[in-house]
Amino acid sequence: MIPNSDITIYNKYIDSATRSEKYQRTVVSDVVWQATKAVSGSNSGQLASNVATVFIPFARGDDYSKPKAWQTSRSGKWTLQEGDIIVRGIATDEISGAYTMTSLRAEYDDVVMISSVDAMDQGSPNVQHWQVGCK
């Protein structure tokens, strides 16, 4: 796979001063984005079934921090944790107040939430990567 996309990751955290939910935005370049958009049937009608898998080479992780470490020291770092938001491309918007994930989805075509993170750390450094499952 050849890296072909930029993504914007919105990492969620709780602001200790205000005790409110906030997001830190980071752009990660040269990743692989594979998406499936489909409609699945259910008893109540049609439901969108959109999923994406994002492959992030470890080489892109110079500023990566594991989730627990990131929660205590976020400055200049990013992480991958369930519930965080990824936008395909470079998003310049900040999530705060009334601007939410719904707002991102209204503005950008590909907005997903992280549902799983797997470290694929076997093999040579050239093939090691994070495989991020998203819905």
Side-chain angles (χ1 to χ4, degrees), residues 1 19 23 25 40 65 75 77 82 89 101-102 112 122 126-127:
M1 283 185 268
R19 302 190 74 85
Y23 288 85
R25 180 178 54 83
S40 61
S65 184
S75 182
K77 302 283 185 183
E82 289 182 25
M101 185 169 175
T102 302
V112 293
Q122 300 297 310
N126 292 334
V127 298

Side-chain angles (χ1 to χ4, degrees), residues 36-73:
T36 303
K37 293 192 178 204
V39 175
S40 61
S42 73
N43 292 340
S44 61
Q46 301 290 315
L47 297 174
S49 175
N50 300 332
V51 296
T53 304
V54 182
F55 301 91
I56 305 172
F58 282 180
R60 298 282 150 258
D62 291 341
D63 299 331
Y64 175 81
S65 184
K66 289 188 174 187
K68 287 181 183 175
W70 182 85
Q71 289 292 339
T72 59
S73 179

Side-chain angles (χ1 to χ4, degrees), residues 9 11 56 64-65 67 78-82 84 114 117 130 132:
I9 300 174
N11 293 125
I56 305 172
Y64 175 81
S65 184
W78 58 275
T79 194
L80 296 166
Q81 54 192 352
E82 289 182 25
D84 284 350
I114 295 176
V117 178
W130 290 282
V132 184

